Amino acid sequence: MWVEIICGLILYRLFKCFFYDDDALDLESSDFNALFSVADRLEKVYGGKVYVGLRIPDADTGSRQNIDMVLVNKGEAVVISVKNISGFVSVNTDGSWVCEGGSKHKAERFPDPVAETKKQASILESYLEQRGVALPEGYFSCKVVLPNPKFRTILSSPFPSEVITYDQWEQLKPEPKSMFSGWIKGAFRGGKKEMQESIHQKLNFTLSTAPMWDRLELKGNKYVLGEFLDFKGKQEDINALKNIRRSKVSRLIIQKTSMFGLAHSKLQVLYSPRDYRSEGASGSEWKEVTVRSSTEVLFQPDNSTKVRKFKLSSVVSLTLSA
């Protein structure tokens, strides 16, 4: 009996090694999905535009500073850090956080998230100045959003005003633009002056062309931020996809074609030529190629040293940073 069990485990591991679909990564509660969930809700409630996954050059360190998102409308710009934390969280005297009872089953320490977000805002302001966008002093504000329903606070550890806890986040509901009350007004309105339309447009254009992580959207409303590396598959399909390079293409969309069971499943890949003059392409500008569904996307997620393979059949779209 034990021999059968051991053999079964070996066969299972071999099957998983060779046939397991990397696309089935459990991203339901991932930080990536939390980011896009927060961004989507903010746009619905406040309008404006949310830029997700920025990688802003830091002149002091010569490296890139990751910024979760920036909310921009005509009245303000808010640098937002999203902490998808679960468990009981307390605040230390130095501003750092300690989380216990979370998914990792051990205490986790987080450097002061508010201080980190303020630093990100300062780096972003310097970057914008270098690109000719001069904003009114104090125009940027900072917020840390905690959207995980399993987040818990310890009453003896009050959070700074910049922190939006899960309970506060739950109170966020669509309201007429002239009706903002309570913490919502304090968190995202702040009483700042209206900026000139020309400056507002320039800020949006600059952020839309700023360095960002590539964005992979998978079926099931799942997202991954990171770096697109290449395609993998039959040489015929690779040749068909040779024009899809970040210097030429900004976005691609995957659609399945019906072959009536007479041939291997094919996928239609629609791609948009890169154009810095606008944020998207018209229907007439989209180009297309057809490849096998077995074709894969090689993608390295942010904060991961491992390159992941995603079957093109599980991909909804891929947005490439310039």
Side-chain angles (χ1 to χ4, degrees):
M1 177 180 178
W2 286 107
V3 174
E4 287 84 352
I5 293 176
I6 294 174
C7 290
L9 289 173
I10 293 175
L11 288 174
Y12 170 76
R13 288 187 175 275
L14 288 174
F15 178 85
K16 186 176 180 180
C17 179
F18 289 102
F19 299 102
Y20 180 76
D21 191 357
D22 275 342
D23 308 350
L25 293 172
D26 183 12
L27 300 174
E28 293 293 338
S29 59
S30 72
D31 294 341
F32 299 127
N33 288 339
L35 287 179
F36 287 97
S37 176
V38 169
D40 182 64
R41 195 173 185 195
L42 289 175
E43 286 187 339
K44 288 179 178 178
V45 173
Y46 295 105
K49 174 70 175 176
V50 176
Y51 299 91
V52 180
L54 293 164
R55 303 180 65 211
I56 302 301
D58 184 351
D60 293 335
T61 64
S63 60
R64 297 289 180 94
Q65 175 67 62
N66 291 341
I67 296 178
D68 285 345
M69 66 185 67
V70 178
L71 167 65
V72 176
N73 59 34
K74 293 183 180 180
E76 66 199 334
V78 188
V79 177
I80 301 170
S81 177
V82 178
K83 299 297 182 184
N84 192 32
I85 300 174
S86 64
F88 291 88
V89 179
S90 59
V91 181
N92 293 326
T93 55
D94 63 355
S96 63
W97 295 4
V98 176
C99 177
E100 298 181 280
S103 58
K104 294 186 178 180
H105 306 291
K106 62 179 182 180
E108 292 183 86
R109 184 184 177 92
F110 299 89
D112 187 343
V114 174
E116 286 187 338
T117 309
K118 289 181 178 180
K119 179 181 178 182
Q120 293 170 5
S122 176
I123 293 172
L124 178 59
E125 283 189 283
S126 297
Y127 170 78
L128 292 172
E129 288 178 3
Q130 292 173 4
R131 293 193 59 180
V133 183
L135 299 174
E137 184 178 353
Y139 183 78
F140 271 114
S141 61
C142 302
K143 296 296 165 185
V144 178
V145 176
L146 304 169
N148 195 315
K150 295 182 179 180
F151 169 84
R152 299 290 184 270
T153 62
I154 297 178
L155 296 179
S156 60
S157 299
F159 286 87
S161 59
E162 293 87 353
V163 176
I164 308 305
T165 65
Y166 174 74
D167 290 338
Q168 293 172 320
W169 179 247
E170 279 294 284
Q171 298 173 23
L172 187 67
K173 297 179 180 180
E175 299 179 8
K177 291 185 178 180
S178 60
M179 296 175 60
F180 289 88
S181 60
W183 74 268
I184 297 176
K185 182 176 181 180
F188 291 106
R189 285 293 165 181
K192 292 187 171 60
K193 296 179 180 179
E194 287 286 319
M195 69 191 302
Q196 294 180 2
E197 184 66 26
S198 61
I199 298 179
H200 173 68
Q201 292 177 354
K202 195 169 186 179
L203 174 60
N204 273 305
F205 175 80
T206 304
L207 289 176
S208 69
T209 57
M212 294 184 183
W213 285 114
D214 298 331
R215 178 188 308 179
L216 189 66
E217 181 182 357
L218 305 174
K219 292 180 178 178
N221 294 320
K222 298 178 180 180
Y223 296 88
V224 185
L225 292 177
E227 183 179 1
F228 165 72
L229 300 177
D230 209 342
F231 295 104
K232 182 180 180 181
K234 299 290 186 180
Q235 190 60 48
E236 177 184 353
D237 297 323
I238 300 303
N239 290 338
L241 295 167
K242 65 182 180 180
N243 289 327
I244 299 181
R245 294 291 180 266
R246 71 174 66 251
S247 60
K248 299 179 180 180
V249 174
S250 61
R251 190 166 188 260
L252 57 93
I253 297 174
I254 312 302
Q255 297 180 340
K256 190 173 183 178
T257 61
S258 176
M259 300 300 293
F260 304 102
L262 301 178
H264 293 295
S265 177
K266 293 281 188 175
L267 296 174
Q268 184 182 51
V269 180
L270 305 176
Y271 62 96
S272 168
R274 186 174 296 284
D275 185 358
Y276 289 110
R277 295 170 298 178
S278 63
E279 294 187 14
S282 65
S284 61
E285 292 176 318
W286 288 91
K287 299 181 179 180
E288 65 180 73
V289 295
T290 302
V291 299
R292 294 174 178 84
S293 61
S294 59
T295 306
E296 296 176 321
V297 174
L298 301 182
F299 198 90
Q300 183 164 355
D302 177 25
N303 294 327
S304 174
T305 58
K306 183 178 180 180
V307 175
R308 299 285 186 178
K309 294 185 294 184
F310 297 91
K311 285 187 177 177
L312 208 55
S313 59
S314 71
V315 176
V316 175
S317 66
L318 173 61
T319 303
L320 300 177
S321 174

